[in-house]
Structures are given as structure tokens and as C-alpha cells.
Amino acid sequence: MKRWIFLCVALLLILTACSSQETFAVRELEAIRETGTLRIGVTDCPPFSQQGEGWFGFDIALAEAVCRELGLSPAFVAVDWESRVEALTTGQVDCLWSGLTARSDLAGEMDFSQTYLASRPALVVPAEAADTLELAGMTVAVESGSAGEAAVQAHLPEVERLPMATQQEALAALASGQVQGAVVDILAARAATAVYTGLQIQGQLDLGTEELAVGLRKGSDLTGAVNEVLAKLQAEGTLEALAAEYAVEGSLVVG
């Protein structure tokens, strides 16, 4: 009898916990709709997001398209990318949308939308050093906490890492001669080599692959809403058109 009572109490606690989680998830989206604003955490990371008179880039345009479908106004909030998880979990922003890699080591701390761009980390070096590259003893700039930093740790143990606040700062450090290389997203690397003409992507190294997604709070029903809109934008060709506008159409995740 005591065992039966214990099992009943345990089941009741589980059902109550599940109910509470569902209520929180539903109420989050409702609360966002009540404010009319989606707070989107971003960082300076061309071609995904960069700041001029306002924020612009592929991820910015895609976020704006999703917000239109959801009837929300986007508010882009500059986030220290190393502290992006804290910004999301403490409610400073509602989502992260700025060249964010859907990494397995972050899956316990946030939910991801469906992925929409395939990419990979790449090593950028001075053009004159590209053919005589010696990894041992190199100092390589990386964005702190990024997929690029993880790729260096996993694939380039012989180099010294210099963590920077953003990928743009890592590339600027390379362009100024502060470091001998920078590991950043390949799409960011391509954008950078158009600006820094003395830099070149080292194409022979395999630093793994990555896919980009929107980061959302664990259990949030906003994830499902964003996925529905992303699927709609893909089906109607809007996603492909935006990708072509920002020259990333070859990296779209199909299906």
C-alpha cells in the first residue's frame, strides 16, 4: 500500500512539473506578443549582422522577415558574444540570431530553431604566407566562446589562441599584424577578404563543419513559431532571395 501511494505521489509531481513547463512556454510567447517586440541578441559579424546607421546583414534581414510574419517588431540588442548564453537565459534578449552555430555543447543551455545555413570554420592568413604556412608557433585570433575557438582547440593544438570579443576584432588583429592567423566562420572570412585585400583563406585545412540556427530559451514555444515561419519563407522562396541578396545562397540548408 505504501509503495502504491509513493508511486501515485511521484506521478502527480511529474505531471505537475510538465504542466508548469507547458504553461511557462505558452506564456512566454504570449508575453512577447503583448509587448509587440522581439528582442534579438546580435553581434558584429558580417555578412550575418553588422552595425552602421542601424543593424543590417543576412541574419538581420531574415529576422525582420520572421518578425513580420509573427506580427512583431524586431529590437536588435548588441550582446557580448562570450556571454550570449547568460543574456538569453536571464531574459536580456528573447533569442540569439547572429551567425549562431547550433553546437551540441550548447544544446543543454538553449533550444535551436531548424538550421538554415551550412558553414565551417576557416583559417585566414596574410596572403604572402598562405603557401608557406607553418602552424607550429603561430598565434591565431578567435572569437571567444565561438565555433572557431572550438575548432582551433580540436584541430590546431599546435597554435596559440588569442581570444577576442568578436570575429571582426579577430580579423582586425590579423590585418594589423598582431597575430599570424584568425579562425572565423567561412562566410565571415569571405566577407573580410573583400575588405582586407592582403588576407587570404587557407583552404587546405579541415576544421569541421557547422550549421547556423536561431538560439531560443529552453522549452520556449517561440521555437515552434520561428520554425513554422522559417519553413514558410523557405517554401515561398523568400529565404533563397535573401540569401542571394547577401551572396550566401550556396550555403542554404535545403529541406
Side-chain angles (χ1 to χ4, degrees):
M1 183 65 179
K2 288 182 179 179
R3 177 180 174 82
W4 173 250
I5 293 173
F6 174 80
L7 290 173
C8 288
V9 171
L11 179 60
L12 180 61
L13 290 173
I14 292 171
L15 292 173
T16 301
C18 291
S19 175
S20 297
Q21 290 173 0
E22 290 173 4
T23 301
F24 171 78
V26 170
R27 288 170 62 183
E28 181 178 35
L29 182 54
E30 288 177 351
I32 291 170
R33 283 184 164 144
E34 285 177 7
T35 67
T37 300
L38 184 66
R39 298 165 303 154
I40 303 169
V42 295
T43 188
D44 190 24
C45 184
F48 310 112
S49 52
Q50 62 188 113
Q51 195 168 23
E53 294 183 0
W55 286 94
F56 64 97
F58 173 71
D59 276 354
I60 301 299
L62 181 56
E64 289 172 340
V66 169
C67 283
R68 282 194 294 273
E69 292 289 333
L70 293 174
L72 298 171
S73 297
F76 298 105
V77 181
V79 170
D80 177 357
W81 213 234
E82 188 174 10
S83 304
R84 62 194 181 280
V85 174
E86 181 182 358
L88 180 64
T89 56
T90 59
Q92 298 172 46
V93 295
D94 300 311
C95 62
L96 300 169
W97 204 332
S98 193
L100 178 70
T101 302
R103 287 162 45 189
S104 59
D105 60 321
L106 295 176
E109 300 180 276
M110 67 180 75
D111 286 342
F112 293 110
S113 72
Q114 67 180 58
T115 57
Y116 54 85
L117 278 182
S119 191
R120 60 183 175 85
L123 173 64
V124 184
V125 296
E128 66 271 14
D131 295 330
T132 58
L133 190 64
E134 290 289 343
L135 293 174
M138 279 183 65
T139 300
V140 174
V142 295
E143 180 183 47
S144 182
S146 69
E149 183 174 33
V152 170
Q153 290 175 302
H155 300 283
L156 302 176
E158 65 270 57
V159 307
E160 294 291 329
R161 285 179 290 115
L162 179 63
M164 310 292 285
T166 67
Q167 293 191 62
Q168 285 302 98
E169 289 188 18
L171 289 161
L174 173 59
S176 67
Q178 184 181 350
V179 294
Q180 292 79 53
V183 174
V184 298
D185 181 274
I186 183 65
L187 300 176
R190 288 170 183 162
T193 54
V195 176
Y196 301 112
T197 54
L199 301 184
Q200 183 174 317
I201 298 170
Q202 214 290 334
Q204 298 177 6
L205 290 175
D206 181 3
L207 300 180
T209 59
E210 58 189 51
E211 291 192 356
L212 307 186
V214 186
L216 306 109
R217 273 187 287 277
K218 293 293 292 183
S220 174
D221 61 337
L222 180 59
T223 305
V226 168
N227 280 339
E228 287 180 12
V229 176
L230 287 175
K232 180 178 184 292
L233 294 178
Q234 185 178 56
E236 67 186 22
T238 301
L239 185 57
E240 186 175 0
L242 288 175
E245 181 179 349
Y246 290 94
V248 296
E249 64 272 28
S251 299
L252 279 177
V253 173
V254 179

PDB file of all heavy atoms in Angstrom, residues 226-239:
ATOM      1  N   VAL A 226       8.937  30.170 -34.632  1.00  0.00           N
ATOM      2  CA  VAL A 226      10.007  30.563 -35.551  1.00  0.00           C
ATOM      3  C   VAL A 226      10.208  29.501 -36.624  1.00  0.00           C
ATOM      4  O   VAL A 226      10.364  29.805 -37.819  1.00  0.00           O
ATOM      5  CB  VAL A 226      11.316  30.819 -34.774  1.00  0.00           C
ATOM      6  CG1 VAL A 226      12.508  30.943 -35.739  1.00  0.00           C
ATOM      7  CG2 VAL A 226      11.192  32.076 -33.929  1.00  0.00           C
ATOM      8  N   ASN A 227      10.171  28.228 -36.232  1.00  0.00           N
ATOM      9  CA  ASN A 227      10.334  27.145 -37.204  1.00  0.00           C
ATOM     10  C   ASN A 227       9.235  27.152 -38.255  1.00  0.00           C
ATOM     11  O   ASN A 227       9.500  26.924 -39.445  1.00  0.00           O
ATOM     12  CB  ASN A 227      10.366  25.790 -36.487  1.00  0.00           C
ATOM     13  CG  ASN A 227      11.720  25.478 -35.880  1.00  0.00           C
ATOM     14  OD1 ASN A 227      12.734  26.038 -36.291  1.00  0.00           O
ATOM     15  ND2 ASN A 227      11.738  24.603 -34.903  1.00  0.00           N
ATOM     16  N   GLU A 228       8.015  27.402 -37.846  1.00  0.00           N
ATOM     17  CA  GLU A 228       6.905  27.458 -38.800  1.00  0.00           C
ATOM     18  C   GLU A 228       7.125  28.556 -39.828  1.00  0.00           C
ATOM     19  O   GLU A 228       6.900  28.359 -41.029  1.00  0.00           O
ATOM     20  CB  GLU A 228       5.579  27.690 -38.062  1.00  0.00           C
ATOM     21  CG  GLU A 228       5.082  26.482 -37.295  1.00  0.00           C
ATOM     22  CD  GLU A 228       3.771  26.765 -36.581  1.00  0.00           C
ATOM     23  OE1 GLU A 228       3.148  27.817 -36.863  1.00  0.00           O
ATOM     24  OE2 GLU A 228       3.358  25.929 -35.761  1.00  0.00           O
ATOM     25  N   VAL A 229       7.583  29.706 -39.365  1.00  0.00           N
ATOM     26  CA  VAL A 229       7.801  30.827 -40.281  1.00  0.00           C
ATOM     27  C   VAL A 229       9.005  30.555 -41.191  1.00  0.00           C
ATOM     28  O   VAL A 229       8.957  30.841 -42.392  1.00  0.00           O
ATOM     29  CB  VAL A 229       7.992  32.146 -39.510  1.00  0.00           C
ATOM     30  CG1 VAL A 229       8.326  33.281 -40.474  1.00  0.00           C
ATOM     31  CG2 VAL A 229       6.733  32.482 -38.724  1.00  0.00           C
ATOM     32  N   LEU A 230      10.083  29.999 -40.643  1.00  0.00           N
ATOM     33  CA  LEU A 230      11.244  29.681 -41.474  1.00  0.00           C
ATOM     34  C   LEU A 230      10.862  28.699 -42.583  1.00  0.00           C
ATOM     35  O   LEU A 230      11.303  28.855 -43.736  1.00  0.00           O
ATOM     36  CB  LEU A 230      12.368  29.090 -40.617  1.00  0.00           C
ATOM     37  CG  LEU A 230      13.121  30.062 -39.713  1.00  0.00           C
ATOM     38  CD1 LEU A 230      14.118  29.298 -38.828  1.00  0.00           C
ATOM     39  CD2 LEU A 230      13.868  31.117 -40.529  1.00  0.00           C
ATOM     40  N   ALA A 231      10.051  27.701 -42.248  1.00  0.00           N
ATOM     41  CA  ALA A 231       9.596  26.741 -43.255  1.00  0.00           C
ATOM     42  C   ALA A 231       8.757  27.438 -44.329  1.00  0.00           C
ATOM     43  O   ALA A 231       8.874  27.145 -45.525  1.00  0.00           O
ATOM     44  CB  ALA A 231       8.796  25.622 -42.592  1.00  0.00           C
ATOM     45  N   LYS A 232       7.907  28.368 -43.918  1.00  0.00           N
ATOM     46  CA  LYS A 232       7.073  29.117 -44.859  1.00  0.00           C
ATOM     47  C   LYS A 232       7.937  29.980 -45.784  1.00  0.00           C
ATOM     48  O   LYS A 232       7.734  30.010 -47.004  1.00  0.00           O
ATOM     49  CB  LYS A 232       6.084  29.996 -44.090  1.00  0.00           C
ATOM     50  CG  LYS A 232       5.159  30.839 -44.960  1.00  0.00           C
ATOM     51  CD  LYS A 232       4.184  31.625 -44.088  1.00  0.00           C
ATOM     52  CE  LYS A 232       3.181  32.403 -44.946  1.00  0.00           C
ATOM     53  NZ  LYS A 232       3.817  33.492 -45.697  1.00  0.00           N
ATOM     54  N   LEU A 233       8.925  30.673 -45.208  1.00  0.00           N
ATOM     55  CA  LEU A 233       9.798  31.532 -46.010  1.00  0.00           C
ATOM     56  C   LEU A 233      10.628  30.714 -46.991  1.00  0.00           C
ATOM     57  O   LEU A 233      10.908  31.166 -48.111  1.00  0.00           O
ATOM     58  CB  LEU A 233      10.719  32.337 -45.089  1.00  0.00           C
ATOM     59  CG  LEU A 233      10.043  33.364 -44.170  1.00  0.00           C
ATOM     60  CD1 LEU A 233      11.086  34.043 -43.281  1.00  0.00           C
ATOM     61  CD2 LEU A 233       9.271  34.400 -44.970  1.00  0.00           C
ATOM     62  N   GLN A 234      10.999  29.508 -46.578  1.00  0.00           N
ATOM     63  CA  GLN A 234      11.745  28.632 -47.481  1.00  0.00           C
ATOM     64  C   GLN A 234      10.854  28.154 -48.622  1.00  0.00           C
ATOM     65  O   GLN A 234      11.251  28.181 -49.792  1.00  0.00           O
ATOM     66  CB  GLN A 234      12.310  27.438 -46.724  1.00  0.00           C
ATOM     67  CG  GLN A 234      13.202  26.536 -47.579  1.00  0.00           C
ATOM     68  CD  GLN A 234      13.790  25.388 -46.782  1.00  0.00           C
ATOM     69  OE1 GLN A 234      13.063  24.621 -46.169  1.00  0.00           O
ATOM     70  NE2 GLN A 234      15.111  25.269 -46.792  1.00  0.00           N
ATOM     71  N   ALA A 235       9.616  27.758 -48.295  1.00  0.00           N
ATOM     72  CA  ALA A 235       8.697  27.225 -49.302  1.00  0.00           C
ATOM     73  C   ALA A 235       8.320  28.269 -50.345  1.00  0.00           C
ATOM     74  O   ALA A 235       8.164  27.952 -51.533  1.00  0.00           O
ATOM     75  CB  ALA A 235       7.449  26.672 -48.614  1.00  0.00           C
ATOM     76  N   GLU A 236       8.180  29.511 -49.935  1.00  0.00           N
ATOM     77  CA  GLU A 236       7.743  30.554 -50.861  1.00  0.00           C
ATOM     78  C   GLU A 236       8.904  31.247 -51.566  1.00  0.00           C
ATOM     79  O   GLU A 236       8.695  32.130 -52.396  1.00  0.00           O
ATOM     80  CB  GLU A 236       6.892  31.586 -50.132  1.00  0.00           C
ATOM     81  CG  GLU A 236       7.636  32.419 -49.103  1.00  0.00           C
ATOM     82  CD  GLU A 236       6.714  33.330 -48.298  1.00  0.00           C
ATOM     83  OE1 GLU A 236       5.494  33.041 -48.234  1.00  0.00           O
ATOM     84  OE2 GLU A 236       7.216  34.317 -47.727  1.00  0.00           O
ATOM     85  N   GLY A 237      10.151  30.865 -51.249  1.00  0.00           N
ATOM     86  CA  GLY A 237      11.310  31.411 -51.943  1.00  0.00           C
ATOM     87  C   GLY A 237      11.923  32.650 -51.321  1.00  0.00           C
ATOM     88  O   GLY A 237      12.937  33.162 -51.815  1.00  0.00           O
ATOM     89  N   THR A 238      11.335  33.136 -50.232  1.00  0.00           N
ATOM     90  CA  THR A 238      11.872  34.345 -49.592  1.00  0.00           C
ATOM     91  C   THR A 238      13.263  34.104 -49.013  1.00  0.00           C
ATOM     92  O   THR A 238      14.153  34.960 -49.133  1.00  0.00           O
ATOM     93  CB  THR A 238      10.929  34.820 -48.467  1.00  0.00           C
ATOM     94  OG1 THR A 238       9.646  35.090 -49.027  1.00  0.00           O
ATOM     95  CG2 THR A 238      11.460  36.078 -47.806  1.00  0.00           C
ATOM     96  N   LEU A 239      13.469  32.952 -48.408  1.00  0.00           N
ATOM     97  CA  LEU A 239      14.772  32.632 -47.807  1.00  0.00           C
ATOM     98  C   LEU A 239      15.852  32.603 -48.882  1.00  0.00           C
ATOM     99  O   LEU A 239      16.944  33.151 -48.701  1.00  0.00           O
ATOM    100  CB  LEU A 239      14.681  31.292 -47.078  1.00  0.00           C
ATOM    101  CG  LEU A 239      15.911  30.847 -46.281  1.00  0.00           C
ATOM    102  CD1 LEU A 239      16.296  31.874 -45.240  1.00  0.00           C
ATOM    103  CD2 LEU A 239      15.649  29.496 -45.624  1.00  0.00           C
TER     104      LEU A 239
END
